[in-house]
Amino acid sequence: MKMLFFVACMERPGPSWHLMKALMEDTLASGIEIHAVQRHYKNATMPPVPDSILKYDNFSFSQVLCKPVEKKAFVKRYLDGIKYSFGQRREMKKHNDYDMIFMQSSPTSFYTLLFARHFAKNRPIIFNSQDMFPGSAIANGSMPNKWMQKIFYAMQRYAYRKVSHFIVISEDMKVKMMEQGVPEEKITVVVNWYDDAAVKEVPWEENRFVKQEGMSKDKFYVQYAGTMGTNFNPDIILDVAERLKDHKDIVFQMIGDGVRRAKFERDAAERGLDNIVFLPLQPQDMVSDVYSACSVCLIPLKRGVIGNSVPSKAGLLMACRRVIVNSVDEDSDYGKMFEREKIGFSAGITDGEKIARDILYLYENPDIREEYANRAKAYGEAEYSRTVNTKKYIELFDKLSKTR
């Protein structure tokens, strides 16, 4: 079997980088041939493909040259995405000997799906929805105009008719997709995983990030590490940090970059919240060290993000035996999971009081925090590990290949 893989850029670190790397490695190891297509930037910070993928004889790839566009420039980014779709079309035409197409979602997937259906004919198209557009753009405020929302939802519904099967990353996303007219039998849920061969807890004494930042074992670190973008809600962190500012040994450690960071820093300074510390984005190979350095992790999302997307860091934190405190939609299956399994805590989008209370509870009860952390690690191994979840993709690939 040969697959044409359309993936996000592998030359830059991003939320799905480790997912696509692992998926391609395990798919290639199963004997399936892959030709991957991705963006290329002249100022790329990483090799176009990791050596762990290049070593396979059944792998090849091509790239479409793109110009970098600022994340906050929505219109320019969208137009650039359309241009990239035409580049993908050229690659479909050039490499038209595949048995199946795998496509990672993007805001301009509509155009790529139209081209894919034209070239694929009766060959299966699998759509991996990591981020549901326009739902995610509406939720984070990037698309406020109702008329625009209607247009993009109509385009989405039309594009979805071109897909043979969908892979979504949560039960919340499955519900959203069914609400938008996709039959349940065409949807498979496979959560975003962590690489259980690479991601693990790093002891404090050996932790490179701890040494790099001169962290103190006497402090209680509430950490957010990741993109401070449009899905990120800094306001709830400011609220919680304000409530806990008298606890001098509780430090809010904010690691990463994004369009919301500059204002977040200004707001923290204006409110005199010196218990919030800002640090730069860390290299990909520091993931285990960074997540292992925190006492608890705080994941603060804007309303409506859950259902259209899912925090990719959840599984990674479980692998590092860390307790997660979430600020998410109250009725989400994702939020309820943490409380149900006793692996973390969840509160509403604006419920700073409960989040502060949950953090204090973990701060004052280290034994209970250990119990939660141990359960989180075990749950992650059973539900969020690479070993468990890439097999689900490969089994689906095999199943769909036999239905042609």
Side-chain angles (χ1 to χ4, degrees), residues 236 240 298 325-327 347-348 351-359:
I236 195 69
V240 175
L298 179 58
V325 177
N326 297 282
S327 173
D351 197 349
E353 182 181 353
K354 182 180 186 302
I355 295 171
R357 191 167 65 244
D358 290 338
I359 290 172

Side-chain angles (χ1 to χ4, degrees), residues 10 17 21 24-25 28 46-57 59 61:
M10 298 290 288
W17 187 91
K21 174 179 176 290
M24 285 195 282
E25 287 171 354
L28 290 164
M46 300 165 66
V49 181
D51 290 340
S52 58
I53 294 175
L54 283 176
K55 72 178 185 180
Y56 287 96
D57 294 334
F59 177 78
F61 75 100

Side-chain angles (χ1 to χ4, degrees), residues 301-317:
L301 301 179
K302 295 196 72 176
R303 186 172 300 283
V305 170
I306 290 294
N308 291 297
S309 186
V310 176
S312 60
K313 62 177 61 60
L316 296 167
L317 285 156

Side-chain angles (χ1 to χ4, degrees), residues 66-86:
C66 299
K67 292 182 179 180
V69 180
E70 287 186 30
K71 286 194 173 183
K72 60 184 177 181
F74 176 80
V75 175
K76 286 185 179 179
R77 285 179 64 203
Y78 193 80
L79 292 174
D80 177 69
I82 295 175
K83 183 179 178 182
Y84 175 52
S85 294
F86 278 88

Side-chain angles (χ1 to χ4, degrees), residues 200-232:
K200 57 193 66 177
E201 183 179 16
V202 179
W204 184 272
E205 294 74 17
E206 302 169 17
N207 193 299
R208 293 175 295 167
F209 184 69
V210 166
K211 295 174 182 176
Q212 173 185 300
E213 301 302 327
M215 294 171 64
S216 169
K217 213 168 186 179
D218 296 328
K219 300 285 187 181
F220 187 91
Y221 293 96
V222 180
Q223 183 192 89
Y224 174 83
T227 304
M228 299 180 197
T230 50
N231 291 338
F232 172 74

Side-chain angles (χ1 to χ4, degrees), residues 76-355:
K76 286 185 179 179
R77 285 179 64 203
Y78 193 80
L79 292 174
D80 177 69
I82 295 175
K83 183 179 178 182
Y84 175 52
S85 294
F86 278 88
Q88 291 174 310
R89 179 186 183 278
R90 290 194 298 272
E91 295 302 324
M92 289 182 210
K93 187 175 181 180
K94 191 185 303 182
H95 302 280
N96 201 15
D97 57 342
Y98 50 83
D99 301 296
M100 187 182 303
I101 291 178
F102 173 87
M103 189 181 304
Q104 192 178 1
S105 60
S106 74
T108 49
S109 297
F110 167 79
Y111 306 96
T112 311
L113 283 171
L114 293 182
F115 297 143
R117 176 49 66 193
H118 172 74
F119 287 104
K121 305 301 182 187
N122 67 331
R123 290 171 287 186
I125 298 172
I126 301 172
F127 189 73
N128 177 216
S129 186
Q130 293 282 327
D131 193 345
M132 290 180 69
F133 183 85
S136 56
I138 295 168
N140 64 37
S142 300
M143 192 185 292
N145 297 320
K146 297 291 184 183
W147 64 267
M148 189 180 293
Q149 295 172 16
K150 290 180 180 178
I151 290 172
F152 279 106
Y153 268 127
M155 292 169 64
Q156 181 201 60
R157 285 193 296 272
Y158 182 77
Y160 278 1
R161 296 208 299 267
K162 309 293 181 180
V163 177
S164 309
H165 203 87
F166 296 84
I167 301 176
V168 297
I169 57 178
S170 74
E171 290 293 336
D172 294 307
M173 288 181 73
K174 179 180 177 179
V175 170
K176 283 276 186 186
M177 197 159 272
M178 290 170 62
E179 288 173 353
Q180 292 164 20
V182 179
E184 184 175 8
E185 62 271 17
K186 289 181 69 173
I187 308 171
T188 297
V189 177
V190 185
V191 300
N192 281 351
W193 59 85
Y194 67 89
D195 188 346
D196 39 343
V199 182
K200 57 193 66 177
E201 183 179 16
V202 179
W204 184 272
E205 294 74 17
E206 302 169 17
N207 193 299
R208 293 175 295 167
F209 184 69
V210 166
K211 295 174 182 176
Q212 173 185 300
E213 301 302 327
M215 294 171 64
S216 169
K217 213 168 186 179
D218 296 328
K219 300 285 187 181
F220 187 91
Y221 293 96
V222 180
Q223 183 192 89
Y224 174 83
T227 304
M228 299 180 197
T230 50
N231 291 338
F232 172 74
N233 180 13
D235 295 335
I236 195 69
I237 299 176
L238 293 166
D239 181 4
V240 175
E242 183 93 52
R243 293 173 186 271
L244 299 178
K245 64 182 179 181
D246 291 336
H247 295 269
K248 301 302 182 183
D249 52 349
I250 297 180
V251 177
F252 288 79
Q253 192 180 61
M254 303 293 107
I255 306 165
D257 207 347
V259 295
R260 295 192 188 277
R261 172 162 170 162
K263 185 176 185 305
F264 185 17
E265 284 195 72
R266 288 197 303 272
D267 290 344
E270 287 172 7
R271 293 169 68 162
L273 296 175
D274 55 5
N275 55 343
I276 302 180
V277 176
F278 292 88
L279 298 170
L281 182 70
Q282 299 299 303
Q284 188 73 30
D285 68 350
M286 288 281 279
V287 166
S288 293
D289 297 81
V290 170
Y291 288 152
S292 297
C294 69
S295 307
V296 298
C297 177
L298 179 58
I299 298 181
L301 301 179
K302 295 196 72 176
R303 186 172 300 283
V305 170
I306 290 294
N308 291 297
S309 186
V310 176
S312 60
K313 62 177 61 60
L316 296 167
L317 285 156
M318 292 178 195
C320 294
R321 211 175 60 85
R322 287 303 178 267
V323 182
I324 300 172
V325 177
N326 297 282
S327 173
V328 292
D329 294 53
E330 296 84 345
D331 59 348
S332 67
D333 180 78
Y334 168 85
K336 291 175 182 176
M337 172 188 73
F338 287 86
E339 307 259 351
R340 180 181 68 241
E341 302 294 334
K342 296 190 185 306
I343 58 175
F345 296 88
S346 296
I349 301 298
T350 60
D351 197 349
E353 182 181 353
K354 182 180 186 302
I355 295 171

